[in-house]
Structure formats: structure tokens, C-alpha cells
Amino acid sequence: MASLGERLAEARKAGHQLARAPERRKVAVAAFVDELAPADRPSLFPDARSVAAFEDPIGTITATRETAPGRQTVDVRVPAGLVLADAPAVDLIAAAIAAGDALALTGADDRLALARQALETAGLPVQALLALETGEGEEAGAHADRVIGGPSPSRDRTGACHVFVDGAADVDEALAVCREALTGEPQAVQADTVLVHEALEGALLPALGEALAETGIEPVAGEVARRRLSRARPAERATWLGRSGSRAVGVRVVGSVTEALAHVHAHGSGRSEAIVTAEPSAAESFLLGAEAEHAVLNGPTTLGAQPRPPRDTVEPDAVDVEALTATRSLHLPAPEEAPAATLAERLDRALRPR
């Protein structure tokens, strides 16, 4: 049997897939609630019925503020992440699926099995709903992002901050962002790793190597990146956790936004992540999927410097979809025209000026 840490990591990974599939989440929630509360029995599970009619919260803008010339910060709803609860209440399970969360339960029963069946029917990974074994609750709580009926867990600040240079990035802009992310203040959110899309491997890495040499920063690179960085030493596991040394940076080539996010999920600190791109869809995928308090578009990780306050305790009798989401601050170029209502429209205007 896999270890608890491995099962929680698998659940979290499955939760990421839920978050990217809003229509399938709706199908899964409806199938789960209909199975337990048929239409001819409207008095059953009224809270779960309310959840089943949810409007997808992911990407909803909750606040906007100007933070610097030409920049703005936009707060958006994102999944809470990994949620831990004692009892498999129907409304809790439905709300977790609706919010795109992974859910670990210490008191699982047939309702969890029905919910997993609903996920499978909707084409979603059943691993997002995890039944814990006796005695695993305390250890699971140390990994959770939200505990129902308890305070928000303190965040583990180990791990790295990343700059991902997408294949649609401008090379000169990417070099400027990387330089600022590696040398700017505050040091706590300086980038520890640069992820480079394989489409820009030849154009960016030699120039990045020269820029690093000028600043006295040593590249510690994966096998593919070392072909373009002659003075790089081989990366080790500690490299990707931000432990290469104060004057070193990890460099890795990836094949897609999805691969970049997988690296961030495995090694990120949860503080600040950045993407350089001219493609709105790539920007949206990374900014919403990066699983950090701050995410930056076409700017350095150092823009995301302020830790967010912990969320208040979520009581078991006050669970709804919004209670199982979190807020992420996105640091974006300010559009020249009036801001749009949705995040997708804002990104399109910021990256493709009319």
C-alpha cells in the first residue's frame, strides 16, 4: 500500500484535474446529489441541492487595485487545495467537488463511494476523494490547506519560487524578468528555479547563461538545459527545492504549461510564482494552477511579497462552495482600456492590446 504522503500527493494531483474541468465538476456534483436525493424526495439534503446549483467560482475576481505604474493586482477565487474533514457529510463532499478541491476524510462511508462513482461517471479522477485509515488524520492535517472545524494549518515555507518562460514569451522580456526575479528584493520571494519551454531552449538559454555570469549566479541545470549552459553543474533533488545556494539557480527545460505546473506543484513553496508569456490561455492556466499565494504575469516573483492572512475556521455546519475556495493575488500588466469583468478577458486585453 502506498504511504500516506504518496496518497495525499495523488489526491492533490487529482484535485488539480478537477479544477481544470468546470463542466465535468457540475456533472459529477449533480450525479452525486441525484443519487442520494432523488427529485421526488426534495426534503433530503437541501444544502447539497443548493450546492448542486453552484456557479463555478474558480477565476472569479473579488478585488482589483493598482499597485505600481502599469501594473495591477487582481484577487481571484481558486480551489482551497487539500481539504481535511472528519465526517462525510453530503453537502461537504458536493462542495469540495464543486470547488475543485481534493478531500481527505477520516470517517468515510458509502457516501464517499457514491461520490467517487459520480466522479468516474463525469470522467474525473476518483483519487481526488481519499478515505484515510484509522490514525492518519493528524499526519494528514499537517499536509492540508483547509481543515473543516479547525484552524487553517500553518504553511510550510520550504520549497522554491519559479519563473516559467512559456514558448510564446518574448526573449528580451523573459531575460529582464529572470534577472529581476533572481536579484530583486525581497529575497524571500526571489526565484530559485527558471523553467524554460523547449520551444525557446535555443534562443533563451545561451543568453540566460551570459546574464547569470554577469550577475555572479551559477546555473545548476537539468540534463537538457546543460547542453545550452556550458558552465552549469548538474542538478540534484535539492536543486528543485531551492537549496542550490544563495548564488545559484536551478534551470530546467519543460515541454508544456502542464509540465511546468507539475514541477511547481512538486517543489513550490506556495509563496510566489511567475510566468512570462504573450499567450492568454497559457497565462490563465498557469496563474490559476500555480498553487501559490501570489502569481505574477510578465513580472518577477518579487512582486508577490506579502503573505496572505490565514482564513478563519470553517465550521462543519457552514460549508458551502465559497468556504472551500481560497484567494490568490495575481499581479498583472494593467490594460490600457477599462478592465473587463472576467479574468480571461483581462488577460486577453493585457496581452493583446486593441
Side-chain angles (χ1 to χ4, degrees):
M1 182 178 179
S3 69
L4 175 59
E6 291 171 334
R7 286 182 285 133
L8 290 171
E10 187 67 22
R12 189 183 288 276
K13 180 179 178 181
H16 297 149
Q17 295 181 52
L18 263 65
R20 295 195 296 267
E23 294 306 317
R24 292 186 181 186
R25 276 187 277 125
K26 284 183 175 291
V27 171
V29 172
F32 173 56
V33 174
D34 287 346
E35 182 68 26
L36 287 167
D40 60 353
R41 301 175 69 185
S43 62
L44 287 177
F45 307 113
D47 291 338
R49 286 185 175 280
S50 176
V51 169
F54 74 99
E55 292 290 333
D56 184 36
I58 307 306
T60 300
I61 296 172
T62 60
T64 301
R65 53 196 178 276
E66 302 300 321
T67 50
R71 305 286 305 185
Q72 64 180 201
T73 297
V74 176
D75 291 341
V76 299
R77 290 284 182 199
V78 294
L82 177 64
V83 177
L84 175 67
D86 287 331
V90 172
D91 55 336
L92 166 65
I93 296 173
I97 297 173
D101 291 321
L103 178 63
L105 289 166
T106 59
D109 61 12
D110 290 345
R111 286 172 286 189
L112 185 65
L114 288 173
R116 289 168 69 96
Q117 182 178 323
L119 287 178
E120 187 172 22
T121 298
L124 293 170
V126 300
Q127 293 86 349
L129 301 176
L130 176 64
L132 298 175
E133 301 293 330
T134 302
E136 290 184 331
E138 183 175 352
E139 183 181 349
H143 296 270
D145 300 294
R146 188 72 46 80
V147 176
I148 304 304
S152 298
S154 58
R155 287 184 175 271
D156 180 1
R157 292 295 180 178
T158 61
C161 296
H162 304 80
V163 173
F164 168 50
V165 181
D166 180 49
D170 176 82
V171 171
D172 291 337
E173 181 176 34
L175 286 171
V177 168
C178 288
R179 185 187 293 271
E180 179 63 22
L182 293 168
T183 61
E185 295 292 338
Q187 291 187 2
V189 284
Q190 286 179 351
D192 304 287
T193 300
V194 177
L195 303 173
V196 179
H197 193 287
E198 61 187 9
L200 290 184
E201 172 190 341
L204 180 66
L205 287 180
L208 178 62
E210 293 178 6
L212 293 176
E214 291 173 3
T215 56
I217 297 176
E218 179 188 19
V220 184
E223 181 178 355
V224 176
R226 286 206 316 277
R227 299 171 189 166
R228 305 282 186 175
L229 297 169
S230 58
R231 55 185 288 269
R233 58 184 168 92
E236 302 174 350
R237 183 177 182 276
T239 300
W240 310 127
L241 296 174
R243 300 173 187 166
S244 299
S246 60
R247 301 301 295 172
V249 60
V251 183
R252 181 183 177 188
V253 173
V254 296
S256 64
V257 176
T258 300
E259 188 177 346
L261 284 172
H263 183 102
V264 169
H265 294 154
H267 306 293
S269 66
R271 293 188 297 261
S272 184
E273 305 291 349
I275 179 174
V276 186
T277 187
E279 175 51 53
S281 62
E284 184 173 19
S285 294
F286 188 90
L287 294 171
L288 292 181
E291 208 171 67
E293 292 181 347
H294 299 266
V296 184
L297 172 61
N298 294 344
T301 50
T302 48
L303 290 177
Q306 297 299 319
R308 300 192 64 83
R311 188 182 176 99
D312 294 336
T313 297
V314 179
E315 299 298 343
D317 59 354
V319 171
D320 58 17
V321 180
E322 183 176 332
L324 296 187
T325 63
T327 300
R328 178 171 302 147
S329 293
L330 307 184
H331 303 266
L332 311 176
E336 295 180 1
E337 55 189 291
T342 69
L343 177 62
E345 291 170 344
R346 289 193 183 212
L347 294 175
D348 189 66
R349 290 184 183 181
L351 295 176
R352 297 174 178 169
R354 276 27 177 201

